[in-house]
Amino acid sequence: MTHFNFTDRVRHGLQFARDEAGLLSHDYVGPEHLLLGLFRVGGRGMAALEALPVSVPDLRRNLLAVMTPGRSANTATDLPHTSRAKKSLELAMVEARELGDTYVGTEHLLLGLLREETGIAAQMLLASGVTPAILRAEVVRSRGASAGASRGVFMMDTHVDV
């Protein structure tokens, strides 16, 4: 079984995604919440996105504008992930593998969100002109000599039960 290390930033981003879902009174974590979590943690994914001709603050604002607040009074911190969110995480692992990495960083998660294609997060990114190919090229370009730098990580199976 293949294992991937999730960076501390990704772990924090996943927690922030749960927080964002709670703030919106949603009883689930979807790809849109994962993207909001990435906006909060920054990292290589956001650096690559900011290097493109995209306004990240506008993207965040537009994303929030299309997200309807829910009616859930659920304050649990262990909200279930939707099938699209799980698919995004699986695709992030595929991206890491394809880029030759043994960790999943924010750049991989952002690419996974884009590759999922049907969720709100992917649709907002695509509408902003960000495609998987464009973002991947920027990630590869920006990593350059910094690839392989040490990171705080933990192990996770490729089977995602979140």
Side-chain angles (χ1 to χ4, degrees):
M1 183 177 337
T2 305
H3 293 281
F4 284 91
N5 300 317
F6 275 46
T7 64
D8 286 341
R9 278 192 199 263
V10 170
R11 284 189 13 234
H12 290 132
L14 294 174
Q15 181 57 53
F16 287 144
R18 285 185 207 92
D19 295 346
E20 293 287 347
L23 290 171
L24 289 162
S25 299
H26 293 161
D27 57 0
Y28 61 89
V29 175
E32 60 276 19
H33 303 109
L34 296 177
L35 182 55
L36 289 172
L38 285 177
F39 287 146
R40 288 178 60 181
V41 296
R44 286 185 175 180
M46 284 300 108
L49 191 58
E50 290 169 345
L52 300 174
V54 174
S55 168
V56 173
D58 286 349
L59 182 59
R60 184 180 189 285
R61 193 170 23 263
N62 293 339
L63 179 60
L64 286 169
V66 300
M67 294 175 69
T68 306
R71 297 186 181 150
S72 174
N74 186 355
T75 58
T77 58
D78 196 21
L79 297 174
H81 285 68
T82 65
S83 59
R84 286 185 176 145
K86 290 178 184 179
K87 183 69 173 176
S88 297
L89 289 166
E90 290 168 2
L91 289 168
M93 291 181 227
V94 170
E95 285 292 336
R97 185 178 319 117
E98 288 178 0
L99 289 169
D101 296 321
T102 59
Y103 65 92
V104 174
T106 59
E107 65 274 27
H108 305 113
L109 183 50
L110 189 57
L111 285 163
L113 287 169
L114 264 169
R115 280 184 62 175
E116 188 276 325
E117 295 180 345
T118 58
I120 295 171
Q123 293 300 309
M124 296 300 291
L125 288 162
L126 291 166
S128 297
V130 181
T131 66
I134 289 169
L135 183 62
R136 189 176 302 106
E138 180 54 34
V139 165
V140 169
R141 186 203 65 74
S142 67
R143 289 182 355 161
S146 65
S150 63
R151 296 162 189 81
V153 295
F154 78 99
M155 298 299 290
M156 184 165 180
D157 288 333
T158 56
H159 174 75
V160 179
D161 263 342
V162 288

